[in-house]
């Protein structure tokens, strides 16, 4: 049987995945591709940097009001947190 924390993490990841698909569809992929060269921090570096806030679950580059943003989602205990990492 799965532990409670693992079950919560799987449910959270599934929710992000389903919600993320609609958000990604609404974003302009060409604009995101144009903005990505601004990033000097790799996704694996952002995951490592976010570990002080909890266990990294997922991360993504996205456009937030037209500006590039690097978000990592973490879990600590039974709480989830979005950590915004400076992409530069």
């Amino acid at each position: 049987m799965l532990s409670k924390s693992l079950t919560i993490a799987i449910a959270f990841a599934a929710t992000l995945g389903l919600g993320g698909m609609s958000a990604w569809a609404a974003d302009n992929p060409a604009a995101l591709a144009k903005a990505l060269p601004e990033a000097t921090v790799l996704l694996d570096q952002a995951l490592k940097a976010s570990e002080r806030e909890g266990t990294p679950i997922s991360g993504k580059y996205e456009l937030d009001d037209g500006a590039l943003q690097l978000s990592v989602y973490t879990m600590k205990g039974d709480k989830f947190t979005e950590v915004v990492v400076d992409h530069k």
Side-chain angles (χ1 to χ4, degrees), residues 1-2 4 9 13 15 25 27 29-30 33 39 44 60 62 65 72 76 81-84:
M1 184 164 179
L2 293 175
K4 181 179 177 182
T15 301
D27 285 345
D44 64 332
K60 66 180 180 178
E62 60 189 334
D65 293 326
V72 177
K76 184 184 265 184
T81 303
E82 176 184 14
V83 179
V84 177

Side-chain angles (χ1 to χ4, degrees), residues 37-88:
E38 296 174 25
T40 58
V41 175
L42 300 176
L43 189 54
D44 64 332
Q45 293 171 316
L47 293 171
K48 183 74 175 161
S50 71
E51 287 178 349
R52 68 178 181 204
E53 300 299 325
T55 303
I57 298 171
S58 68
K60 66 180 180 178
Y61 293 96
E62 60 189 334
L63 292 177
D64 184 29
D65 293 326
L68 188 63
Q69 179 173 300
L70 176 51
S71 297
V72 177
Y73 300 91
T74 65
M75 179 178 180
K76 184 184 265 184
D78 62 350
K79 298 189 187 220
F80 296 97
T81 303
E82 176 184 14
V83 179
V84 177
V85 178
D86 184 357
H87 63 277
K88 294 184 180 185

